[in-house]
Amino acid sequence: MTTTRQDTDALRALQELADASSSVRLRAAMTVGTTPDPRFVDKLIERCAIEPEFFVRDMLTWALTRHPVSLTLPGLVRELRSERAQARSQALHTLSKIGDRQAWPAITGALLSDADDEVARSAWRTAVVLVPEGEEPALATALAGQLGRGGRETQLSLSRALVALGEAVVPALHAATTAPDPRVRTHALATQRLLREPDTGFEYAIEEAKRVVALGGSGQEG
C-alpha cells in the first residue's frame, strides 16, 4: 500500500511540474527529488529546457542530482546539442552540480564560444569544474579566446573561470595583453590583477586596466 501511495504521489508531482503556478512546480520538483525514480529523469530534463523560473530550474537540477549518474548523464549530454539555449545552459549547470568528469568530452569549443552569453557562461563554469588534470592549459587558452566579450556580467564570469584555473592561465593571459583589440587587452589585464590579488574588486580592476590601455601600455612594463 505504501509503495502504491508513493507511486501515486510521484506521478502527481510529475504532472504538477507543468502547473501554471511556480510554487506548485517548485514543490513538485522537490517531491520528485525526494523520491528518485528512473522514470522521472527524462521528464526532469525536458522541463529544465522550458521552465521559466530560476528557483524552479535550480530545484529541477537538484532533483536530477538525486538520480544515478548513469541515468542522468546521457540525457544531459544530448541536451548540449539542443537548438534551445536554455536547454544547453541548464544541462551545463546540472552537469557542473553532478561533477562527473565523464561529461568532460561533451564540453566542446562550440559551447565555450556559444553565441548565447548565458550558455557560454554556464560552459565556462562547468569546464572549470570538470577539466581533467593536465588539461588546464588548453582550457585556459580556449577561455582566453573569449576575453573582451559581452558586458560586465559576462566578463566577470569569464574572469572568475580563468582565475579558478590558477597558474595555468598565466601564459594565455600574458599573450592576450598584447592583442590588437583594446577590449581584449583591458579584460586580460583586469583578470591578471584578480589572479594576483583576489580581493581586488572587478570594477576597480577593469577601470585600472582601461587607464593602462588608454595610455598605450600592456601592463607588462617594468
Side-chain angles (χ1 to χ4, degrees):
M1 180 64 75
T2 302
T3 301
T4 302
R5 176 61 185 273
Q6 286 179 342
D7 281 351
T8 301
D9 290 347
L11 291 172
R12 182 185 300 115
L14 282 177
Q15 294 175 335
E16 289 177 343
L17 287 175
D19 194 273
S21 167
S22 62
S23 62
V24 172
R25 298 197 305 275
L26 183 67
R27 186 171 63 247
M30 185 182 300
T31 298
V32 172
T34 302
T35 55
D37 187 305
R39 295 172 297 175
F40 302 164
V41 171
D42 288 344
K43 182 62 70 175
L44 288 168
I45 293 174
E46 288 172 14
R47 188 65 204 176
C48 281
I50 59 174
E51 170 56 49
E53 296 292 333
F54 169 80
F55 293 111
V56 180
R57 289 200 302 273
D58 227 32
M59 190 62 74
L60 291 167
T61 283
W62 172 78
L64 282 165
T65 67
R66 299 269 296 154
H67 291 78
V69 174
S70 60
L71 297 178
T72 57
L73 208 62
L76 290 169
V77 167
R78 280 196 303 273
E79 287 292 275
L80 300 183
R81 300 189 291 273
S82 172
E83 293 184 1
R84 186 186 292 270
Q86 182 175 305
R88 301 195 302 277
S89 176
Q90 196 64 25
L92 285 161
H93 175 66
T94 305
L95 289 170
S96 76
K97 294 300 182 183
I98 292 172
D100 192 302
R101 285 179 170 169
Q102 291 181 82
W104 169 249
I107 311 303
T108 62
L111 287 169
L112 294 173
S113 60
D114 198 283
D116 185 279
D117 282 347
E118 190 55 43
V119 175
R121 289 167 59 185
S122 295
W124 302 337
R125 291 190 293 266
T126 305
V128 169
V129 171
L130 300 182
V131 62
E133 187 174 353
E135 295 286 338
E136 294 92 347
L139 176 57
T141 298
L143 293 181
Q146 300 299 303
L147 285 164
R149 170 180 174 164
R152 180 193 179 281
E153 289 303 315
T154 297
Q155 292 197 2
L156 175 57
S157 290
L158 182 57
S159 289
R160 283 174 172 167
L162 285 162
V163 168
L165 290 174
E167 291 301 307
V169 305
V170 171
L173 285 179
H174 182 81
T177 61
T178 58
D181 187 336
R183 281 175 56 85
V184 174
R185 296 201 302 276
T186 298
H187 196 184
L189 286 170
T191 306
Q192 278 186 331
R193 178 67 180 266
L194 293 173
L195 183 64
R196 292 194 308 266
E197 301 171 31
D199 292 335
T200 301
F202 183 71
E203 296 292 349
Y204 179 83
I206 282 286
E207 291 306 315
E208 183 180 88
K210 284 179 180 177
R211 287 194 291 271
V212 172
V213 170
L215 292 171
S218 66
Q220 311 303 323
E221 295 80 10

